[in-house]
Amino acid sequence: MENQVERAIDIASSPTSDQSLRAQAIEFVHQLRTEPSGWQVCLTLFTRTPKSSELVRHVAIEIVGSHVREQRLDGQSLSYVQNCLMEYIRQFYAEGHNIMDADSASIQNKLVQVITYLFAQLYGNGWENFFDYFFSLCSSGNGTEFDNLAGVVIYLRTLSSIHDEIADQLVPRSPEEIKRNAELKDLLRARDVSRIAVSWHAILVKWRDENDSVLIMCLGAVGRWAEWIDISFVVDQNLLKALFQLVGRTKNPQTEPTIDIVRDTAIDTLSDMVSKKMRVSDKMEMIAFLNLGDITLQLLNSPPLHDFRSTSNYDTDLAESVAKLVNVVMNDITKTLDTEPSNSPAYQKADELLQVFLPFTLRLFSDRYDEICSIVIPSLNDLLNLLRKENKTGGRWSNTQTQMLSPILNAIIAKMKHDETSSWGNEDEQTDEAEFQELRKRLQNLQQAVASVDESLYIVVVSNLVLDTFDRLAQTQGQMDWRDLDLALHEIFLFGELTPKSGSIPTKNQQRNGVVSERLAAMMTAMVESNIAAFSHPAIQLQYMEICVRYCSFFEGHNHLIPLALETFIQAVHHNHVKVRSRSWYLFHRFVKHLRAQLGNVALTVLDSISDLLIIRAELTKSSGDEDMSSEESEQSPDAVFLSQLSLFEAVGCISSTTSIPVERQVYYAQVVMSPIFIDIQKNLSPAKGGDERAVLQIHHDIMALGTLARGFSDWNPATTAAHLSPPAQQVAEAFAQAAEAILAALESLKAQIHIRTAARFAFSRLIGVLGAQILPLLPRWIAGLLSESSSKDEMATFLRLLDQVVYGFKSEIIEILDSLLGPLLQRVFNGISEPATGTDDMIELADLKREYLNFVSVVLSHNLGSVFISSTNQESFETFISAIEHFAKDIEEIQTSKLAFSVLSKICSVWGGKAVADGASKNKATNEGEALATSPTPSIPGFNQFMIKRFSPLCWAVLGSRSFNSKDPQTRLVLAEVANLQKTLLTQTGEEFTGYLRNIELKEVGFSMEQVEEYLAALQGLDTKQFKQFFLGFIQRAGA
């Protein structure tokens, strides 16, 4: 059997084995985990001599462990496994055996894991001498304790494994496991913890100068167990002496590597000890007793952290360990200061420790390695939050404590600066740059916390830094480190975070309302006048533009500075660095859009300056085998460059359309930009028809540019109610009518091309704001081109959303056009809906198209345009129109579509059903509101009252009979609410005709009893709509639907 299991494991683990045979072997090995006797053969395989292969033994002991862990063994079997494994350990780990003869680390871990499972089940039930065995195992027979290396190693591994099994807080536990673990920890504290603590000291002393691996394992065990044993066992003079010797040990950098893992682990052990949960008063006493302030000072002054600070020998691992220790201590100090009374000894002690540890925190926070800085950010953040809390409540902080803010703020600002080794914009350093920007966000939070505690200090420090930087720039005639300038600009950018509280930058129409606004205005003035934008480094130019855009309102009150800033933008849009150039195009658009009223006099100058950038050159994207594109490659891709270029077209539209420019000049500027595009479209039309992909893309870009230019010319749209927005002048609209004609000509010739349809739809939505009602006569051509046979369902849905806006915006002018185009429009939509869905994405698009169609119908009906559905032009398609909505309503598989369809049916009833008929609750409501009701149905369409009853009411019950209908489903309840609303609407429009139909025909056919029928009709007539919806849901659920 043993040989069979051994061979099965070998076959299962070999990728070259026959696949059928391998599958059988895997299944066989898997069965050993559940087979009651499977553990026996595996135990033999693991312990036998000579040893089996590493792999076989690893699988074998793992299977034994699974049986023990799952408690499949009875008491006798557990004892057998215990005896076998302990005998195995005695055989290979007792005194006289070389550690090299023991098992590999992975086998040791698996062995220890099984021993731990046995410990968890037997330590409280017959294995009280567990640690006696290991203590004897660790020592030789000559009286020296813990001198058997193999025994010490397996003992320390066992200690760590026991902690992980019964005390690791990160592992989720069942209530039974939590109870078991608590009992085991209590037993350990009572029986063996004191002896275990003594063993730690003995091991640290014995192996201090002999084996670092043993020291690291021992320190790890001390740190783990310190979480849950009595602190007195850890804070023991003998143990601490050994620990401090390891913390303070040094190496000769000339002969030994400066990195000392043992020392770092010893410091981490101190951190674990300090992290132990206890009363804050006891914690402060422990920190003082451990003399952690002096220890930290000595570590920070040691050569690896002091002498080598600016060299490659700087010990970052040691710095991280010290930072963790300082962060833990500072957290406890802050917690004590926050929770204890100011006159308590604990508070006084915490205050003293704060003065000691804050400089350590700032030293590590200022470390040039961001990983080290990040470790102490949490404690610094906690301290600032405490200061902010005390500041808000008029707290108890002394002058000494508030004086801490200045060095903290200075440290934060200094850390905001780029490292001297950084090189902005290099592809190889993009990850480092991203990490630094993430760190800056965390630093920004700290900086804002300082500002919330002492805003005056923040204002003075930041503004002095910025203004001093600009002074030095002038004195050095631009010969400065770009990192200093970047820091100053970054601080200006962040300074605006205070303006929502203290007021925005004062403009010509505002009083200067606060120190923040005044200082920000002073910094902005100094920045623009310093000619910093002429500094050659791309990061400075980019940051300068970002600031100008963020504080555009500043220039409204400082018009004389606009030309200087604008000149910088004009230069930047031609920059040779792709990141600056593409970003500047967007920022230039933002800048001129906000200040368009002040730029009318320079429109022609700006247009001439950037005219070379308005030339469109479409480039096909080169396909590559690597789909992953770096950010720099993405920014330089043809598509990305063109999208940025569109910002220039919108910027030109903004500058050219200000009210200060005469209308004829506006038209001229528009034509200057559009005429080359018209020529380009015409030139590429023939090649595009012939299948030239680049020509198709060129026309796509041209159309997008025209649409974007239109958006820049007009912020107005037909649906706007803003008084300050008005449609462009008639002459401007006529100029853009030529653009519409050019686009339509391209669309009609190339409507089979999705790129052209996409661009045309983009332009259509933007031309509405320029053309106004002039676009309405062109709608049939737009529809014919955009809803072609090649159009996808997603395209149709998107265009229907655009039509919703057109109907809403031109509701008083569109009815004739809508009447003529409705038939072709609906036909194209129905064709799209009738196409079968071929995949998940297609099904999603189909559902979206259905909903957009129903939304379109709802918009038309809501704006009193419903007559187009029943006009002589569209009468023939009326049945199809109604049938489609009925079909959508019955399809309960699509909840949202069904809900919307019932809502549209209710609207149809209200629109064509005539006046409300006096009946029940509707009569009471109308009487209260003074509304005149009809005594009998008065439908707008003859016979529509009977049509509504016989076509729409049965739909309500058809839905309830659907196999997928579930009245308890929350989404289905939404449909039920609309069904109830339709029932009330039918009652409102037809009165007794409807109740008679329900009583005598429909409800009986559905299967309701007369008692249920009368209950239903009473509720329908007597309750208002909201009440009836609640009743309807309960009625359906009681009926078992």
Side-chain angles (χ1 to χ4, degrees), residues 625-695:
D626 187 6
E627 295 182 359
D628 295 330
M629 187 182 294
S630 69
S631 59
E632 183 170 335
E633 291 173 333
S634 178
E635 290 169 355
Q636 297 181 38
S637 69
D639 290 343
V641 171
F642 172 67
L643 290 176
S644 298
Q645 188 182 19
L646 288 179
S647 296
L648 294 177
F649 283 94
E650 187 166 354
V652 168
C654 292
I655 297 176
S656 305
S657 59
T658 62
T659 55
S660 62
I661 299 177
V663 173
E664 53 274 12
R665 297 301 295 175
Q666 295 183 32
V667 173
Y668 170 73
Y669 296 149
Q671 290 174 339
V672 166
V673 179
M674 290 192 295
S675 294
I677 298 177
F678 295 159
I679 295 172
D680 195 49
I681 291 175
Q682 189 63 38
K683 181 179 73 174
N684 286 280
L685 205 51
S686 294
K689 290 180 182 178
D692 187 327
E693 291 185 21
R694 199 211 65 80

Side-chain angles (χ1 to χ4, degrees), residues 1-14 25 28-29 32 41-42 44-46 48 50-60 63:
M1 183 64 176
E2 296 166 18
N3 293 335
Q4 183 182 2
V5 172
E6 188 171 14
R7 176 162 172 71
I9 294 174
D10 288 335
I11 293 173
S13 62
S14 174
F28 176 77
V29 173
L32 291 173
V41 64
C42 290
T44 302
L45 270 177
F46 179 79
R48 76 180 183 182
K51 295 181 179 179
S52 302
S53 69
E54 180 90 359
L55 176 64
V56 169
R57 299 181 72 237
H58 189 281
V59 174
I63 292 174

Side-chain angles (χ1 to χ4, degrees), residues 246-271:
L246 297 176
V247 169
R249 82 176 191 174
T250 58
K251 291 188 175 184
N252 185 350
Q254 304 300 324
T255 59
E256 300 176 284
T258 56
I259 297 176
D260 188 344
I261 301 177
V262 172
R263 178 198 55 209
D264 299 344
T265 307
I267 298 170
D268 291 339
T269 302
L270 283 176
S271 299

Side-chain angles (χ1 to χ4, degrees), residues 78-88 118:
L78 279 176
S79 297
Y80 178 76
V81 174
Q82 169 199 340
N83 292 331
C84 286
L85 291 182
M86 298 312 289
E87 174 59 27
Y88 173 84
L118 291 168

